[in-house]
Amino acid sequence: MNRAVLLALQLLVALAFLLLWHVLTTVPIGGRKLLDPFFFSTPLDVLARTWKDLAGGELWRHLGITLLETVLAFATGATGGILLGFAFARRALLAAVFDPYVKAANALPRVVLAPIFALWFGLGIWSKVALGFTLVFFIVFFNVYQGVREVSPTVLANARMLGMNERQLMRHVYWPAALTWMFSSLHTSVGFALVGAVVGEYLGSAGGLGYKIQQAESVFDVTGVFSGMLVLTVFVILLDAVVTAIEKRLLVWRPAPATATS
Amino acid sequence: MTGSRDAGAPAVELAGIAIAFTLSDRSTYRAVQGIDLQVAAGEFVAIVGPTGCGKSTLLNASAGLLQPSAGTVRIFGTPLAGLNRRAGYLFQQDALMPWKTALDNVAVALEPAGIGRGEARARALEWLGRVGLKGFADRYPHMLSGGQRKRVALAQILIRDPEILLMDEPFGPLDAQTRQIMGNLLLDLWAADRKAVLFVTHDLEEAIALADRVIVMSAGPAAGLIGDHPVPLARPRDIAEIRLDPEFHAIHRTIWGSLRAEVQRAYAQGEAAP
């Protein structure tokens, strides 16, 4: 199937969905509307509200806050995950001792930490960064750990026979192997950084997309909630496109373009 | 304990080597036993034997990648401790770093010697030319054929100018034509400065065509050396043509006489294994 036809079909699905939504919420069928616009809003209202917010400028401030939190959560989480992943993979004793605690910490649903973080770091951006950190950290940590441990023994033996010392092995063998694994989980970890930011905002903050959605919800402004969700969705799609572009540049050596987005 | 070459000492000497592995059920598997072997400086020695007889194990012991459970490995007269710094090792499996281009894979081999990046790359490019891959410097390993990857690996080993070459069925995964081309390339490069070579293969014809001496190993477990046959064929040789030489056939017949029984024994064991 060629790209144009596929794109047309994809657009058709979106249009059909919007049309159905529109008809059910605005056209009376058998004397009454099947979906009450108070609870379900209408597509045109949502678009109009989104347009108004974007023109108003207030929305951009919220977007900026969420983006900053996402980037900081990803950067700190990835850095921590890489450092500890390396340490655990290279020091078997360390890994063995901390294994149950790492598993326990990872098993904890992170959302319950949000109120604690709000208490510790306040209602500003840092409590959201902390929440995103706990989500990103474990994904990157497990992938780097796996990547370092699963370096091909032949590649490693070859590098050692070439006379490489520990530092050179790190730079030429372990580090690129770990990066490969990290990038294979990049989409997931960036997504989780955003989840951490939005959930944190939703549970207590004074700015950001999560805050905006929560505000709208508290006054039963369904149009505002849907508008916030729309903006969030477009934001995630753009972020994912940026990640894909970075991935393509950094993993040129890989045989097949990475399609796994587990 | 100096690194200098002890005149007259063999490049590689295995004395009374035994190698055993502990299996997962805690029993011990004796792979090879009572191995005495010397490779003189500048000599090309091939080891043939049935599959799974422990040929590669001997190579790993000579490289220092594996500690023998008994016996001594001496490199130019000095007992080997740790990795063998004077040897280059060509592996059977792909050993190139997949995240580096052909050029970087070869150039990085000079980094441990403290050679700067610019000079390393210039010399790597020259070596790629020598193995016939001048136009492939920017390719990543997955973009190269199996034979081309072996050429890069060969350049990566030889650019360090090691005194000993250890080769573990290096051309095993390649097709017949590519094997011949690679064999001739190896002989050409080797003829330039005659390093000591220990070449492991299960292909007797390849062993005779390349080597000065062919060592035959018995089937495992506790495999030993059961034959040591000189190959007095004239050099330079052409791998494809030398196979038609009547003398080649005579040597082949002699060695195959001792190898055949071992191959059958190994095969019977394989069939009998659960």
Side-chain angles (χ1 to χ4, degrees):
Chain A
M1 189 182 307
N2 76 42
R3 280 183 67 90
V5 175
L6 184 64
L7 194 69
L9 285 174
Q10 287 170 337
L11 279 175
L12 201 66
V13 171
L15 282 176
F17 173 76
L18 289 175
L19 194 68
L20 189 70
W21 183 11
H22 180 76
V23 168
L24 290 179
T25 50
T26 54
V27 182
I29 297 168
R32 67 186 197 93
K33 293 169 186 167
L34 285 180
L35 296 176
D36 189 338
F38 178 78
F39 293 114
F40 292 94
S41 190
T42 73
L44 290 176
D45 283 351
V46 171
L47 283 177
R49 174 71 69 86
T50 308
W51 180 252
K52 204 187 90 197
D53 283 350
L54 285 173
E58 176 67 4
L59 188 67
W60 296 102
R61 190 178 69 84
H62 292 297
L63 257 178
I65 291 171
T66 302
L67 180 63
L68 179 67
E69 288 163 355
T70 304
V71 169
L72 284 173
F74 175 75
T76 53
T79 309
I82 288 171
L83 290 179
L84 247 79
F86 260 108
F88 274 44
R90 306 288 291 133
R91 299 273 174 272
L93 180 67
L94 197 67
V97 169
F98 281 92
D99 181 63
Y101 300 104
V102 170
K103 283 197 179 126
N106 187 39
L108 181 77
R110 254 48 63 80
V111 179
V112 304
L113 291 174
I116 303 272
F117 286 148
L119 213 58
W120 290 349
F121 302 110
L123 293 176
I125 65 167
W126 293 106
S127 56
K128 286 79 197 169
V129 173
L131 188 61
F133 172 91
T134 61
L135 291 166
V136 173
F137 171 83
F138 285 99
I139 300 169
V140 174
F141 169 80
F142 284 119
N143 275 286
V144 168
Y145 181 68
Q146 193 85 346
V148 172
R149 283 173 53 108
E150 291 194 0
V151 171
S152 149
T154 313
V155 170
L156 192 58
N158 188 49
R160 290 175 65 207
M161 283 307 292
L162 292 175
M164 288 191 191
N165 58 29
E166 194 67 12
R167 198 179 55 77
Q168 287 158 340
L169 285 179
M170 200 60 128
R171 180 164 154 221
H172 295 299
V173 180
Y174 290 120
W175 176 244
L179 271 193
T180 316
W181 279 72
M182 202 196 98
F183 276 113
S184 69
S185 65
L186 202 60
H187 291 274
T188 325
S189 42
V190 168
F192 270 102
L194 184 71
V195 167
V198 172
V199 170
E201 288 163 359
Y202 187 85
L203 292 177
S205 71
L209 285 176
Y211 165 78
K212 243 189 103 56
I213 292 174
Q214 199 268 335
Q215 286 291 298
E217 229 163 72
S218 63
V219 294
F220 298 103
D221 175 12
V222 177
T223 308
V225 173
F226 282 172
S227 164
M229 281 161 55
L230 177 67
V231 173
L232 201 57
T233 305
V234 172
F235 181 65
V236 171
I237 290 171
L238 290 179
L239 209 59
D240 205 59
V242 172
V243 170
T244 304
I246 293 173
E247 194 179 29
K248 267 197 180 139
R249 260 197 82 83
L250 286 174
L251 296 182
V252 281
W253 58 269
R254 275 229 293 222
T259 47
T261 50
S262 58
Chain B
M1 295 303 270
T2 63
S4 70
R5 183 177 298 208
D6 185 348
V12 180
E13 183 184 6
L14 306 179
I17 294 288
I19 295 166
F21 298 101
T22 308
L23 302 180
S24 53
D25 62 355
R26 304 209 164 227
S27 64
T28 306
Y29 177 77
R30 288 173 305 145
V32 297
Q33 205 164 19
I35 302 284
D36 293 297
L37 173 66
Q38 297 192 345
V39 181
E43 190 183 25
F44 199 130
V45 173
I47 301 181
V48 292
T51 331
C53 72
K55 307 180 291 271
S56 306
T57 314
L58 284 188
L59 220 48
N60 287 339
S62 311
L65 288 168
L66 192 80
Q67 190 69 31
S69 40
T72 319
V73 179
R74 290 191 197 87
I75 302 302
F76 292 110
T78 311
L80 181 60
L83 286 181
N84 188 345
R85 296 277 168 219
R86 300 167 82 168
Y89 196 135
L90 194 59
F91 291 85
Q92 181 181 10
Q93 304 94 328
D94 277 328
L96 297 175
M97 289 159 253
W99 40 80
K100 287 186 185 298
T101 60
L103 182 67
D104 285 336
N105 257 296
V106 180
V108 81
L110 290 174
E111 194 180 298
I115 290 162
R117 198 171 148 75
E119 194 199 333
R121 286 173 72 92
R123 277 167 62 181
L125 201 59
E126 189 190 318
W127 264 103
L128 281 180
R130 242 181 265 186
V131 296
L133 287 179
K134 199 155 203 100
F136 296 84
D138 294 330
R139 301 275 186 102
Y140 288 93
H142 82 269
M143 304 156 127
L144 299 169
S145 70
Q148 289 168 331
R149 286 201 289 271
K150 281 290 175 234
R151 287 165 188 257
V152 177
L154 198 57
Q156 189 186 49
I157 309 299
L158 292 175
I159 196 170
R160 295 173 58 233
D161 196 23
E163 294 156 281
I164 303 162
L165 289 181
L166 305 172
M167 310 183 118
D168 182 13
E169 302 196 29
F171 311 143
L174 307 178
D175 63 78
Q177 285 84 24
T178 314
R179 288 175 79 127
Q180 286 190 358
I181 294 167
M182 288 302 294
N184 279 331
L185 174 68
L186 175 63
L187 282 186
D188 282 349
L189 294 170
W190 176 73
D193 56 358
R194 298 233 168 185
K195 300 166 190 306
V197 180
L198 192 53
F199 188 101
V200 162
T201 178
H202 60 258
D203 180 349
L204 179 55
E205 289 195 25
E206 184 177 61
I208 299 170
L210 291 170
D212 295 321
R213 200 145 64 87
V214 174
I215 309 283
V216 180
M217 255 181 113
S218 66
L225 306 183
I226 53 165
D228 184 344
H229 306 268
V231 181
L233 297 169
R235 294 189 189 272
R237 301 175 187 167
D238 181 284
I239 305 264
E241 282 170 22
I242 204 162
R243 286 171 208 238
L244 308 173
D245 193 311
E247 207 180 340
F248 181 94
H249 289 281
I251 297 167
H252 189 279
R253 215 171 319 155
T254 314
I255 303 179
W256 179 240
S258 64
L259 184 59
R260 184 173 53 198
E262 294 306 321
V263 171
Q264 281 165 350
R265 199 152 73 86
Y267 185 69
Q269 280 172 3
E271 291 290 283

